[in-house]
Amino acid sequence: MIRMPSQCCFFQIGKVFLYCLCLSGGALFAQDISQKGIPLLDNYAPSQYLNHGKVWDIASAANGVVYMAGDGGLLAFDGQDWKQFQGSEGFTRSLLVANDSLIYSGSDFDFGVWKKNELNQFNYRSLYPFREDPTEESEEFWDVFQINEGIAFISASHIYWYKNEQLTKIVAPHRFSGAFQGRDRIYLADQENSLLTFDGRSLKTVFTFPDNPPLQIAGVFERQAGLVVVTQSKGLFLFRDDQLVPMPMAVSGYLKQDQVFCATMINESYFAFGTILNGLYITDLEGNIIQHINKKKGLPNNTVLAMHFSPDGLLWLGMDYGISTIHIYAPITYFFDYMGEFGTAYAALLKDGVFYLGTNQGLYQAAWQDLNNQVVVKPFRLIPGSEGQVWSLQTIDGTLYCGHNRGLFTVRGNTFQQVNNEPGVWTILPFQKDYLLTGNYNGISIFRRAGNTFSFWKKMELILGSCNQVMIEKDNLLWVNIPKYGLIRFSLNENLSPSERMIFPSTLFKGNAFYLKKEDNGIHLYTSTNHYRFLPEKKQFGEEESKLPPITVTGILEGIYKPTPIDGEYQFYSVYNGFALESISAAQRGLPVKSKLIVSKIEAFNNQESQLMPNRFSTAYMLNNLRFHFVIPHQKQALYQYQLEGFSEQWSAWSTSTSLEFTSLKEGDYVLRLRATVQGQATPITEVFFSIMPPWYRTKWAYAGYLALVVLFFYLNRQWHQVRLRKQRVMLLEQEKRALQQQAEAFEQEAWHRTQQQLEKEKKALQQQVKQKSIELTKKAKENEDKNRLLYLLKEKMDQVQGEPKVNKARWAEMQRMLESYLESNDKVFEIQIDELHQEFFNALREQFPDLSVYDMRLCAYLKMGLNSKEIADMLQVLPSSINVSRSRLRKKLNLQPDEDLHRFLNGIV
């Protein structure tokens, strides 16, 4: 339990707290947020941001793009285009932007991570382990924070700690009613009794709540003085030295009444509180209200659900209806008449601490201090009798003069006194010392000094029309601007009558809304489109290249309504339905441009289709029309310039357009360079590399094919000519051939006859030789046969002698061996002789019929040579009947049928 201090020490603690807060304010930008007027508001209705529903959380990336968690999922806005991405099925409640391409989000029944692909589209991946099998309790993840390189997804009942791809579940002591980011920890409000911290490892108690009812915490801020605790309905508290004490701040009473829903800090120098009942409060560190903005002052709704301060100086509000952006550091602030209190202002003047405002409804006054945008809603009071159109205000010799549609008036306090009733005083100009000139609806009126005031003297001759500007060039040389007519330059003589008039009709100039301005180098004329300077030596206007610097004021009136200095710090602008003030010092200081130029979308398209492209790509020739979308997020006054290398080396003129379109680009490699300037600050060049592929008929392969076709054409052409030449040569050769053939046929015929005759002679000679050889062989065979018969007879005799025992058996056996050897050798001699003539025949015969004897093969050779049985019998010296028997046996061995011819069969064996 914390110690509650006594009331007597509250004041001292508050003084210490305020002193420490001031010391810890960092850069101390307290004067940077103007207290007068309302910063520019950009309001977006749900129909403008894709009917996304309520926005519950807002964050921004380093490149300036703002992301929002809402009913419709993830919403992205770069100041130009809204993009919506669908992730989980429930409402998206919270988000954490880790970098330009990585976002964590929490939603109903789910949490996960978004990753940007190469087409600048986000893809969602759930990390919630119970997405498919939800727990009994419906978890809604209202907060996502990053500390100590881990991500905490927080619901009312659990913390899911995600680190190193691991998920740890931590149970709440009771129920979490809020979670707030610290430097290295997360603060969690327990619904029952305490404020806790979580450092990635465990929950620890910071303090327990005082007696019931428990505090409903809407914000926690770590300051050097201690821990600032923002509650929904009990104001602000400081926790220090184990004591929780109320903070004595001027804003506390309003916060208790209006119910704080969310809170944030701005540059460590301001507090911002979003309430349920009365919009937004911005205070300094001491709790003094710097800005109070609600529905009466321009917000679309009084309930602020989410807040985010982006580094580019914008405060984003997610409202119960709509989204608002507040340019809190802009040097220009606005006073819009939402309640019909004063109308559209045309003139303003600050005198003796009183701010006078001339409008279409009359002349108003307010204390200069009351223009601070605190809780006071109606600072202006109408001066009685001033009802009508006030065109100009001028202080002369301490007297305030008012140019009115009813004439010229003086203003003293609440007294509005008429000087002259000449209608429609546009402008008031002191001339020399004793005169006053006024430009009226019709001409110029001259007033002459009468004591401490001026009285009407006369109308100026020769000057007619509505003179909304009267300007002194030098001495008695003047200019007058008459809308729709032109300019007149003239001199005034002693009687203040115009002379030496030079008339410049409006038709000489381009544009409209003429505005004369005297500068160091002479008289200048600015129109809506051009800039001119008067050349005295030529007595004419010359066109200048430069134009009047653009005025970044929303709703400014055109023409003569240029900035009017109020004092050394502010100048006044006329705007529709109100007016604006610009802090001169803030405008000179400018705002740093922290966002960079980004290419948000690239499209390649034709008449039939469109495709998204990454920042480095190649596209087919059929998609050679390209559209680029780019922007410096949330910089409305940025000017852009581009150069397309591969198309032109020149940079384009500066333009406010945030898209480019190139059509019918030729094939090749390109580099698109983009740069921008904001408030005179140039951004680095952003490059996009891309290639247009050639059509198929202009590819390398196509050119190779064309070359091959050319080569083939020449080759075929050459072959065709060669074929023609060959045909011609063939025709000539055929003719020669036919001529020679006719000659050769005769010679061939004769030679053929001679050859035939010669061949016949040679055939007969060869046949005779073969027959002679056959006869010789037959004779040799007969001789061998005779020898063999003799030897067989001797062998028979010896067989007989061997049967007698008286003969020496050994000798007779020897003789028998010799005779047998002789017989075998003679058989082989015959076989060799036959082989010399019929070698191939015998080999084939043995291969087919291995059982044939030598006698059988000899008989086959005789039969093959064409010898008959008688001739064979004579050669073998046997009876013809023996040969016939041998032939019959031979037919059986040769497996011949009775009707098969033996001679033909033997001649068929090769």
Side-chain angles (χ1 to χ4, degrees), residues 718-828:
R718 181 179 179 185
Q719 291 296 107
W720 180 67
H721 285 291
Q722 289 179 350
V723 168
R724 288 186 61 192
L725 291 174
R726 282 198 297 269
K727 287 183 177 180
Q728 292 175 357
R729 284 198 295 267
V730 168
M731 290 174 63
L732 293 174
L733 289 174
E734 286 293 332
Q735 292 176 358
E736 293 178 2
K737 182 179 179 181
R738 282 194 295 270
L740 293 173
Q741 189 173 7
Q742 291 174 358
Q743 295 177 3
E745 284 178 356
F747 291 109
E748 287 179 0
Q749 203 65 14
E750 184 179 355
W752 184 78
H753 287 295
R754 287 198 299 268
T755 302
Q756 286 295 106
Q757 293 174 0
Q758 182 66 29
L759 289 174
E760 286 294 331
K761 290 179 182 180
E762 291 177 357
K763 180 180 178 182
K764 290 179 179 179
L766 289 173
Q767 288 177 346
Q768 189 65 31
Q769 289 178 7
V770 169
K771 187 175 182 180
Q772 185 66 32
K773 289 290 184 181
S774 298
I775 292 171
E776 290 177 359
L777 181 58
T778 303
K779 288 181 178 179
K780 184 66 176 177
K782 186 177 182 300
E783 290 175 359
N784 289 337
E785 184 64 27
D786 290 342
K787 290 178 183 179
N788 287 337
R789 183 178 293 112
L790 176 61
L791 291 173
Y792 276 116
L793 291 174
L794 289 174
K795 183 176 181 299
E796 289 177 358
K797 294 295 185 181
M798 283 187 284
D799 289 338
Q800 293 174 3
V801 173
Q802 191 174 8
E804 295 180 6
K806 293 182 179 182
V807 183
N808 189 342
K809 291 182 179 181
R811 187 175 300 274
W812 287 109
E814 182 180 355
M815 292 174 63
Q816 186 179 7
R817 284 193 300 272
M818 291 176 61
L819 287 173
E820 288 177 352
S821 175
Y822 181 75
L823 289 173
E824 289 175 0
S825 63
N826 283 339
D827 287 340
K828 290 179 182 179

Side-chain angles (χ1 to χ4, degrees), residues 47 341 355 501 518 660 717 796:
S47 59
E341 297 173 1
F355 180 74
R501 290 186 306 161
K518 183 179 178 180
L660 289 173
N717 187 54
E796 289 177 358

Side-chain angles (χ1 to χ4, degrees), residues 10-11 43 63 68 81 101 189 243 249 262 276 301 375 386 425 524 586 608 625 707 717 719 731 781 809 845 887:
F10 280 177
F11 180 71
N43 294 325
N63 61 5
M68 304 176 192
D81 298 311
S101 303
Q243 292 185 351
M249 287 187 168
C262 55
I276 297 175
N301 190 271
V375 185
S386 69
V425 179
H524 292 253
Q608 288 76 36
N625 304 311
L707 179 61
N717 187 54
Q719 291 296 107
M731 290 174 63
K809 291 182 179 181
L845 197 61
R887 289 182 62 160

Side-chain angles (χ1 to χ4, degrees), residues 627-650:
R627 188 181 296 116
F628 297 85
H629 299 267
F630 50 88
V631 70
I632 296 183
H634 314 293
Q635 295 292 342
K636 295 182 178 180
Q637 305 302 324
L639 296 175
Y640 300 92
Q641 195 178 40
Y642 73 89
Q643 177 201 60
L644 184 59
E645 182 181 320
F647 181 80
S648 173
E649 298 300 320
Q650 299 294 324

Side-chain angles (χ1 to χ4, degrees), residues 138-172:
S138 299
E139 292 191 278
E140 297 176 354
F141 294 89
W142 285 89
D143 297 286
V144 183
F145 298 117
Q146 181 176 15
I147 58 168
N148 302 327
E149 300 181 356
I151 308 296
F153 300 93
I154 303 173
S155 70
S157 53
H158 299 97
I159 299 174
Y160 291 86
W161 177 244
Y162 182 70
K163 186 175 182 180
N164 299 327
E165 300 293 330
Q166 300 294 323
L167 198 63
T168 304
K169 181 178 178 181
I170 300 162
V171 180

Side-chain angles (χ1 to χ4, degrees), residues 455-645:
S455 62
F456 178 75
W457 179 33
K458 68 174 182 177
K459 292 282 291 184
M460 187 177 293
E461 302 93 342
L462 303 177
I463 303 296
L464 302 175
S466 182
C467 303
N468 64 4
Q469 270 190 291
V470 180
M471 178 184 297
I472 298 175
E473 182 178 349
K474 61 179 180 179
D475 300 331
N476 62 340
L477 190 59
L478 282 76
W479 288 83
V480 62
N481 179 8
I482 304 175
K484 306 298 181 182
Y485 177 77
L487 309 176
I488 300 177
R489 183 177 187 253
F490 61 93
S491 297
L492 290 178
N493 58 23
E494 294 179 355
N495 295 323
L496 299 188
S497 296
S499 62
E500 301 178 1
R501 290 186 306 161
M502 297 178 61
I503 300 175
F504 302 92
S506 59
T507 54
L508 295 177
F509 309 101
K510 298 177 182 178
N512 48 42
F514 290 8
Y515 173 66
L516 277 172
K517 185 178 182 182
K518 183 179 178 180
E519 298 181 5
D520 293 339
N521 60 347
I523 299 298
H524 292 253
L525 173 66
Y526 293 93
T527 73
S528 58
T529 58
N530 292 77
H531 172 204
Y532 301 89
R533 183 172 69 88
F534 181 68
L535 307 175
E537 65 280 3
K538 296 182 178 181
K539 296 183 178 181
Q540 64 183 22
F541 280 89
E543 189 169 354
E544 299 283 294
E545 292 184 1
S546 63
K547 297 182 181 180
L548 194 66
I551 298 175
T552 59
V553 179
T554 300
I556 189 170
L557 300 180
E558 293 183 346
I560 62 173
Y561 305 105
K562 302 304 177 185
T564 303
I566 297 297
D567 58 7
E569 176 59 25
Y570 289 95
Q571 56 185 4
F572 164 87
Y573 292 88
S574 296
V575 300
Y576 290 106
N577 195 38
F579 65 96
L581 294 179
E582 180 181 31
S583 171
I584 297 173
S585 60
Q588 292 174 346
R589 187 166 55 247
L591 295 174
V593 180
K594 296 186 178 181
S595 300
K596 63 179 182 179
L597 191 151
I598 60 173
V599 179
S600 57
K601 184 168 69 171
I602 303 174
E603 296 176 275
F605 65 95
N606 56 27
N607 292 334
Q608 288 76 36
E609 63 176 313
S610 175
Q611 293 183 8
L612 293 177
M613 294 293 170
N615 286 355
R616 184 185 290 265
F617 65 94
S618 295
T619 183
Y621 189 77
M622 64 181 296
L623 294 173
N624 64 343
N625 304 311
L626 299 178
R627 188 181 296 116
F628 297 85
H629 299 267
F630 50 88
V631 70
I632 296 183
H634 314 293
Q635 295 292 342
K636 295 182 178 180
Q637 305 302 324
L639 296 175
Y640 300 92
Q641 195 178 40
Y642 73 89
Q643 177 201 60
L644 184 59
E645 182 181 320

